[in-house]
Structures are given as structure tokens and as C-alpha cells.
Amino acid sequence: VQLVESGGGLVQEGGSMRLSCAASGFTFDDYEIGWFRQVPGKDHEGVSSMRSRLGHTYYGDSVKGRFTISINNAKNVVYLQMNNLKREDSGTYHCAAHRHGTGAQFLRAPWSADYWGKGTLVTVSS
């Protein structure tokens, strides 16, 4: 099982960035795929999640209206389009897969993930 994130880097405040999470080794459609971010000294924060079979999307309050999650089922890739980035969006972004429960539950309980990626660092500068 692998979840591999890419697309992170340095961006100016107000800019945009798209992260990708490539999944392999498990039945993609059976899982909720979520994005979480972490900064040193803090717990993972739920950013967004989606289950391709249902099409429902969930977002953390701090990113609603700015971030969009999407899935390419043919490639087993989940994207996170981030617009109007703020300095507080900086952190290491991980994607994770969770088989049971809703996306809303998953975002509140990152410890329930079945699989994790290693993360990609996003730095938003002023």
C-alpha cells in the first residue's frame, strides 16, 4: 500500500498550489481519502476528504471556499487545489485513507486512518 504526495513547495500569500496524492495497493473506491496538515508541535488538522464512490466532499472550516478536493479515478489520484493561500496554511500536508465512517468523522479523527502518506511541505510566505 502506498500513498505518495507531491506538489508542495514555496508560494506567496494569495497564490495557488495543487497537491497530488497517488494511491496504490488497495481498492481505491472503498476508501475515504483525506488531506491533513501538520505543523511542528500541533496535531494533524483535517483539511478535506472525499470518497470517489459517493462523490461527497468535506472541508475544514479554515479552508472552505478556498480549497477544492477532486479525484481522478482512472489514475487513482486525489488532488487538493489550494487558492488564496494564507501563511497559516503552511505545514506538511499528508494524504490518508480510511475505510469506514464518513468524511466528516475522518477529518475530526485522523488517528482512525488505515494508511498514511509521508507528506509534502507547503510554505506560504508573506
PDB file of all heavy atoms in Angstrom, residues 33-46:
ATOM      1  N   ILE A  33     -10.545   9.265   1.102  1.00  0.00           N
ATOM      2  CA  ILE A  33      -9.190   9.807   1.022  1.00  0.00           C
ATOM      3  C   ILE A  33      -9.232  11.225   1.577  1.00  0.00           C
ATOM      4  O   ILE A  33     -10.015  12.056   1.117  1.00  0.00           O
ATOM      5  CB  ILE A  33      -8.655   9.826  -0.414  1.00  0.00           C
ATOM      6  CG1 ILE A  33      -8.798   8.446  -1.057  1.00  0.00           C
ATOM      7  CG2 ILE A  33      -7.212  10.299  -0.422  1.00  0.00           C
ATOM      8  CD1 ILE A  33      -7.970   7.365  -0.400  1.00  0.00           C
ATOM      9  N   GLY A  34      -8.385  11.471   2.543  1.00  0.00           N
ATOM     10  CA  GLY A  34      -8.387  12.777   3.185  1.00  0.00           C
ATOM     11  C   GLY A  34      -7.038  13.453   3.130  1.00  0.00           C
ATOM     12  O   GLY A  34      -5.998  12.799   2.978  1.00  0.00           O
ATOM     13  N   TRP A  35      -7.080  14.777   3.240  1.00  0.00           N
ATOM     14  CA  TRP A  35      -5.865  15.578   3.370  1.00  0.00           C
ATOM     15  C   TRP A  35      -5.827  16.160   4.778  1.00  0.00           C
ATOM     16  O   TRP A  35      -6.826  16.691   5.269  1.00  0.00           O
ATOM     17  CB  TRP A  35      -5.866  16.726   2.359  1.00  0.00           C
ATOM     18  CG  TRP A  35      -5.576  16.315   0.959  1.00  0.00           C
ATOM     19  CD1 TRP A  35      -6.468  16.071  -0.047  1.00  0.00           C
ATOM     20  CD2 TRP A  35      -4.286  16.125   0.382  1.00  0.00           C
ATOM     21  NE1 TRP A  35      -5.823  15.726  -1.192  1.00  0.00           N
ATOM     22  CE2 TRP A  35      -4.469  15.757  -0.964  1.00  0.00           C
ATOM     23  CE3 TRP A  35      -2.980  16.214   0.868  1.00  0.00           C
ATOM     24  CZ2 TRP A  35      -3.418  15.489  -1.832  1.00  0.00           C
ATOM     25  CZ3 TRP A  35      -1.921  15.957   0.015  1.00  0.00           C
ATOM     26  CH2 TRP A  35      -2.142  15.593  -1.319  1.00  0.00           C
ATOM     27  N   PHE A  36      -4.668  16.039   5.392  1.00  0.00           N
ATOM     28  CA  PHE A  36      -4.441  16.581   6.726  1.00  0.00           C
ATOM     29  C   PHE A  36      -3.158  17.395   6.684  1.00  0.00           C
ATOM     30  O   PHE A  36      -2.244  17.078   5.938  1.00  0.00           O
ATOM     31  CB  PHE A  36      -4.294  15.449   7.748  1.00  0.00           C
ATOM     32  CG  PHE A  36      -5.532  14.604   7.879  1.00  0.00           C
ATOM     33  CD1 PHE A  36      -5.747  13.546   7.018  1.00  0.00           C
ATOM     34  CD2 PHE A  36      -6.473  14.880   8.853  1.00  0.00           C
ATOM     35  CE1 PHE A  36      -6.900  12.761   7.120  1.00  0.00           C
ATOM     36  CE2 PHE A  36      -7.620  14.112   8.974  1.00  0.00           C
ATOM     37  CZ  PHE A  36      -7.822  13.061   8.101  1.00  0.00           C
ATOM     38  N   ARG A  37      -3.094  18.417   7.495  1.00  0.00           N
ATOM     39  CA  ARG A  37      -1.848  19.173   7.562  1.00  0.00           C
ATOM     40  C   ARG A  37      -1.375  19.221   9.004  1.00  0.00           C
ATOM     41  O   ARG A  37      -2.165  19.163   9.944  1.00  0.00           O
ATOM     42  CB  ARG A  37      -2.010  20.577   6.995  1.00  0.00           C
ATOM     43  CG  ARG A  37      -2.945  21.497   7.762  1.00  0.00           C
ATOM     44  CD  ARG A  37      -3.137  22.794   7.005  1.00  0.00           C
ATOM     45  NE  ARG A  37      -4.061  23.683   7.679  1.00  0.00           N
ATOM     46  CZ  ARG A  37      -4.665  24.695   7.092  1.00  0.00           C
ATOM     47  NH1 ARG A  37      -4.447  24.954   5.806  1.00  0.00           N
ATOM     48  NH2 ARG A  37      -5.482  25.470   7.775  1.00  0.00           N
ATOM     49  N   GLN A  38      -0.079  19.338   9.125  1.00  0.00           N
ATOM     50  CA  GLN A  38       0.522  19.347  10.454  1.00  0.00           C
ATOM     51  C   GLN A  38       1.651  20.358  10.499  1.00  0.00           C
ATOM     52  O   GLN A  38       2.440  20.467   9.550  1.00  0.00           O
ATOM     53  CB  GLN A  38       1.056  17.957  10.809  1.00  0.00           C
ATOM     54  CG  GLN A  38       1.490  17.834  12.263  1.00  0.00           C
ATOM     55  CD  GLN A  38       2.001  16.459  12.600  1.00  0.00           C
ATOM     56  OE1 GLN A  38       2.568  15.770  11.753  1.00  0.00           O
ATOM     57  NE2 GLN A  38       1.797  16.039  13.841  1.00  0.00           N
ATOM     58  N   VAL A  39       1.712  21.087  11.598  1.00  0.00           N
ATOM     59  CA  VAL A  39       2.842  21.958  11.874  1.00  0.00           C
ATOM     60  C   VAL A  39       3.505  21.438  13.134  1.00  0.00           C
ATOM     61  O   VAL A  39       2.863  20.795  13.964  1.00  0.00           O
ATOM     62  CB  VAL A  39       2.421  23.427  12.033  1.00  0.00           C
ATOM     63  CG1 VAL A  39       1.840  23.951  10.726  1.00  0.00           C
ATOM     64  CG2 VAL A  39       1.415  23.593  13.159  1.00  0.00           C
ATOM     65  N   PRO A  40       4.789  21.692  13.290  1.00  0.00           N
ATOM     66  CA  PRO A  40       5.502  21.166  14.462  1.00  0.00           C
ATOM     67  C   PRO A  40       4.820  21.565  15.765  1.00  0.00           C
ATOM     68  O   PRO A  40       4.440  22.720  15.959  1.00  0.00           O
ATOM     69  CB  PRO A  40       6.887  21.800  14.327  1.00  0.00           C
ATOM     70  CG  PRO A  40       7.056  22.001  12.880  1.00  0.00           C
ATOM     71  CD  PRO A  40       5.691  22.397  12.369  1.00  0.00           C
ATOM     72  N   GLY A  41       4.654  20.583  16.637  1.00  0.00           N
ATOM     73  CA  GLY A  41       4.082  20.843  17.940  1.00  0.00           C
ATOM     74  C   GLY A  41       2.571  20.801  18.000  1.00  0.00           C
ATOM     75  O   GLY A  41       1.989  20.982  19.072  1.00  0.00           O
ATOM     76  N   LYS A  42       1.923  20.596  16.860  1.00  0.00           N
ATOM     77  CA  LYS A  42       0.454  20.558  16.833  1.00  0.00           C
ATOM     78  C   LYS A  42      -0.037  19.251  16.236  1.00  0.00           C
ATOM     79  O   LYS A  42       0.682  18.573  15.500  1.00  0.00           O
ATOM     80  CB  LYS A  42      -0.088  21.736  16.030  1.00  0.00           C
ATOM     81  CG  LYS A  42       0.157  23.089  16.674  1.00  0.00           C
ATOM     82  CD  LYS A  42      -0.617  24.172  15.954  1.00  0.00           C
ATOM     83  CE  LYS A  42      -0.442  25.512  16.651  1.00  0.00           C
ATOM     84  NZ  LYS A  42      -1.216  26.595  15.965  1.00  0.00           N
ATOM     85  N   ASP A  43      -1.283  18.934  16.544  1.00  0.00           N
ATOM     86  CA  ASP A  43      -1.895  17.731  15.985  1.00  0.00           C
ATOM     87  C   ASP A  43      -2.245  17.942  14.514  1.00  0.00           C
ATOM     88  O   ASP A  43      -2.325  19.081  14.036  1.00  0.00           O
ATOM     89  CB  ASP A  43      -3.177  17.385  16.749  1.00  0.00           C
ATOM     90  CG  ASP A  43      -2.906  16.950  18.173  1.00  0.00           C
ATOM     91  OD1 ASP A  43      -1.795  16.423  18.431  1.00  0.00           O
ATOM     92  OD2 ASP A  43      -3.799  17.130  19.019  1.00  0.00           O
ATOM     93  N   HIS A  44      -2.490  16.822  13.845  1.00  0.00           N
ATOM     94  CA  HIS A  44      -2.953  16.904  12.469  1.00  0.00           C
ATOM     95  C   HIS A  44      -4.305  17.637  12.415  1.00  0.00           C
ATOM     96  O   HIS A  44      -5.190  17.388  13.228  1.00  0.00           O
ATOM     97  CB  HIS A  44      -3.141  15.502  11.891  1.00  0.00           C
ATOM     98  CG  HIS A  44      -1.866  14.831  11.509  1.00  0.00           C
ATOM     99  ND1 HIS A  44      -1.159  14.024  12.375  1.00  0.00           N
ATOM    100  CD2 HIS A  44      -1.163  14.848  10.345  1.00  0.00           C
ATOM    101  CE1 HIS A  44      -0.087  13.565  11.770  1.00  0.00           C
ATOM    102  NE2 HIS A  44      -0.055  14.048  10.534  1.00  0.00           N
ATOM    103  N   GLU A  45      -4.437  18.510  11.439  1.00  0.00           N
ATOM    104  CA  GLU A  45      -5.689  19.219  11.212  1.00  0.00           C
ATOM    105  C   GLU A  45      -6.338  18.683   9.949  1.00  0.00           C
ATOM    106  O   GLU A  45      -5.689  18.595   8.906  1.00  0.00           O
ATOM    107  CB  GLU A  45      -5.424  20.715  11.048  1.00  0.00           C
ATOM    108  CG  GLU A  45      -6.678  21.527  10.706  1.00  0.00           C
ATOM    109  CD  GLU A  45      -6.356  22.967  10.331  1.00  0.00           C
ATOM    110  OE1 GLU A  45      -5.176  23.340  10.337  1.00  0.00           O
ATOM    111  OE2 GLU A  45      -7.318  23.720  10.038  1.00  0.00           O
ATOM    112  N   GLY A  46      -7.604  18.314  10.049  1.00  0.00           N
ATOM    113  CA  GLY A  46      -8.325  17.811   8.889  1.00  0.00           C
ATOM    114  C   GLY A  46      -8.592  18.927   7.896  1.00  0.00           C
ATOM    115  O   GLY A  46      -9.167  19.951   8.274  1.00  0.00           O
TER     116      GLY A  46
END
